[in-house]
Amino acid sequence: MDKIRVAAVQMVSGLSPQKNIETMGRLVKQAAQCGADWVLLPEYWVLMGANDTDKLALAEPLGGGRFQTALSETAKACGVVLFGGTVPLQSREAGKVMNTLLVYGRDGVRTGLYHKMHLFGFSGLGERYAEADTIRAGWEVPHLSAEGVPVAAGICYDVRFPEFFRRQLPFDVLMLPAAFTHTTGKAHWELLLRARAVENQCYVVAAAQGGLHENGRRTFGHSMIVDPWGDVLDVLPEGEGIVTADIDANRLNSVRSRLPALKHRVLDAV
């Protein structure tokens, strides 16, 4: 790795899967035209349903379905490595789906995946969320790579669990699709992303949902790219669009050599 141009796509996904597919394709194409080599989509890009159970009817078997086909074809058409946000996949548990990040190479071939492990739950201020009602938790810590670069992955709520990313070391880039609520995002989103970048001395690429959705839910947005020193390189507060920045090997190595915190670790992750 010398320099890799990365882009995070921000969406305000609605009730129509087809419209969401079209928006996804348009924004990935825009990112590619801006020189992006890698593109990350947000969590739940395929649907922000009227009810949490709406995604059950859309669940696809791994390896087939319109969402996976759209991701594969878009990656190939745009010539990018596409980190495909999350797609609902069929699970072995009735009434639940897997919330899955799928990764596609420039040739459109799937190269990796990760099923979300930490399931969000929150109640207060007139809101209630319980992902465990409709999502089956993943069971395997990801160890991904893209074009020879070691990559960590998490999905939204995972960002609150630093030990989860320690288990994925070594990596140079952390990819995080999300759909943070406005309430929790305003309080913690940037804080958590910058903390994960600093403690792991890595780039963090975070793609979010960002705005008022057709179902009445409001997500926080602020898709951003953070460098290993914790500096925010680009951010989009709200609305659909993209953020871009370069993953710079020289910058990464400089931070790690000047402050070799990863080499000073005493306790291993368990």
Side-chain angles (χ1 to χ4, degrees):
M1 178 183 74
D2 184 12
K3 285 188 178 182
I4 298 171
R5 191 74 170 169
V6 296
V9 169
Q10 185 160 291
M11 292 177 60
V12 188
S13 296
L15 302 176
S16 167
Q18 184 57 40
K19 289 182 179 178
N20 295 331
I21 288 173
E22 292 168 2
T23 299
M24 178 276 293
R26 173 170 51 82
L27 291 173
V28 173
K29 182 178 180 180
Q30 179 183 339
Q33 290 172 340
C34 290
D37 300 295
W38 297 2
V39 181
L40 173 67
L41 299 176
E43 185 181 28
Y44 298 135
W45 69 266
V46 304
L47 180 76
M48 292 290 279
N51 300 290
D52 287 344
T53 54
D54 289 353
K55 58 182 171 286
L56 301 180
L58 301 178
E60 299 180 343
L62 179 62
R66 59 175 164 167
F67 302 127
Q68 293 169 83
T69 297
L71 290 171
S72 173
E73 291 179 349
T74 300
K76 185 174 183 179
C78 294
V80 299
V81 176
L82 184 57
F83 294 81
T86 66
V87 168
L89 296 185
Q90 295 173 359
S91 81
R92 297 178 182 176
E93 188 171 350
K96 295 187 179 183
V97 302
M98 309 304 299
N99 190 20
T100 305
L101 167 67
L102 299 159
V103 186
Y104 294 85
R106 297 176 192 261
D107 58 0
V109 175
R110 177 167 53 85
T111 61
L113 60 79
Y114 161 62
H115 303 300
K116 186 176 184 179
M117 293 182 68
H118 299 96
L119 302 183
F120 179 58
F122 175 80
S123 60
L125 303 176
E127 297 177 282
R128 180 187 180 275
Y129 301 97
E131 288 188 324
D133 290 349
T134 55
I135 295 174
R136 182 186 183 194
W139 54 89
E140 190 171 0
V141 175
H143 292 281
L144 305 176
S145 66
E147 301 185 312
V149 178
V151 175
I155 298 170
C156 200
Y157 192 47
D158 286 332
V159 76
R160 293 183 181 272
F161 301 91
E163 70 278 7
F164 171 71
F165 299 102
R166 290 296 203 193
R167 289 284 298 272
Q168 298 182 56
L169 285 171
F171 57 85
D172 295 339
V173 186
L174 191 164
M175 307 295 275
L176 188 93
F180 253 59
T181 70
H182 191 269
T183 300
T184 57
K186 185 177 180 180
H188 301 141
W189 172 249
E190 181 176 331
L191 172 69
L192 289 165
L193 294 176
R194 295 179 70 189
R196 299 295 85 83
V198 169
E199 70 195 9
N200 294 298
Q201 298 185 313
C202 68
Y203 283 90
V204 171
V205 183
Q209 295 280 350
L212 183 62
H213 300 264
E214 290 179 273
N215 62 6
R217 178 175 173 180
R218 186 181 180 192
T219 47
F220 185 62
H222 290 79
S223 296
M224 66 178 67
I225 301 170
V226 186
D227 86 351
W229 196 246
D231 292 333
V232 177
L233 303 180
D234 197 6
V235 60
L236 176 61
E238 199 168 45
E240 69 176 39
I242 64 171
V243 294
T244 61
D246 288 333
I247 303 299
D248 188 335
N250 290 332
R251 173 65 167 166
L252 186 73
N253 294 333
S254 174
V255 169
R256 290 177 174 179
S257 62
R258 287 185 289 118
L259 179 61
L262 293 176
K263 294 181 179 179
H264 293 161
R265 292 172 60 217
V266 176
L267 301 176
D268 292 329
V270 296

